[in-house]
Amino acid sequence: MNNNDRLTRLRYALDIKDEDVVKIFDMGGASVTADQVRAFTTSTRTGEDEYEREYEEVLDNERFERFLNGIITSQRGVREGAPEPKLELTDDNANNLLLKKMKIALSLTTEELHEIMEDAGGRLTKSELGAVLRKEGHRNYKPCGDRYARNFLNGLKMRYRGE
């Protein structure tokens, strides 16, 4: 799963319109247009794998992390005196940061996050979830696989869209 997939699924799960996505990017410190948002989310299927997609414009790690930071700001407000967040998203930790930042943005408890995963059919124990939410470099840190991220996004879709 790449950043375009994550953005597309998250946008659908939370029912965010294109103009709102532009505002969220802006809150995170990235300037994008509505045409770019459509290019980030418009795909064509390729190959036999249903998860292999090509997008009109590739969403890089910096922009995606700025989008996630923008969601936190849009949901929780601006923290006065807070420093600019460090950009730490890489291809290896993208799913971990997605879960962490959405947990913060939506004010979810670890139990609620676990319920969302279970609702979508995810088999993630509470200790595994704790390992996924740990800071990279911690001895108990565990990389979050695409399957867990897809289950989380499907669970959000079920919770917020009623599907």
Side-chain angles (χ1 to χ4, degrees), residues 10-22 24 67 71 75 161:
L10 187 59
R11 187 176 153 254
Y12 181 77
L14 299 177
D15 196 20
I16 305 172
K17 308 290 183 247
D18 285 349
E19 51 275 357
D20 295 330
V21 172
V22 170
I24 290 170
F67 175 77
I71 285 186
Q75 297 298 310
R161 292 183 71 101

Side-chain angles (χ1 to χ4, degrees), residues 9 14 25 43 57 75 79-80 89 112 159 161:
R9 290 168 185 262
L14 299 177
F25 268 109
S43 70
E57 186 173 340
Q75 297 298 310
R79 283 182 38 197
E80 295 299 321
L89 189 113
E112 289 172 324
R159 182 169 280 202
R161 292 183 71 101

Side-chain angles (χ1 to χ4, degrees), residues 55-72:
Y55 289 86
E56 292 178 11
E57 186 173 340
V58 174
L59 181 61
D60 60 31
N61 288 336
E62 179 183 346
R63 281 190 183 160
F64 184 63
E65 187 168 6
R66 289 190 182 278
F67 175 77
L68 293 174
N69 292 338
I71 285 186
I72 292 171

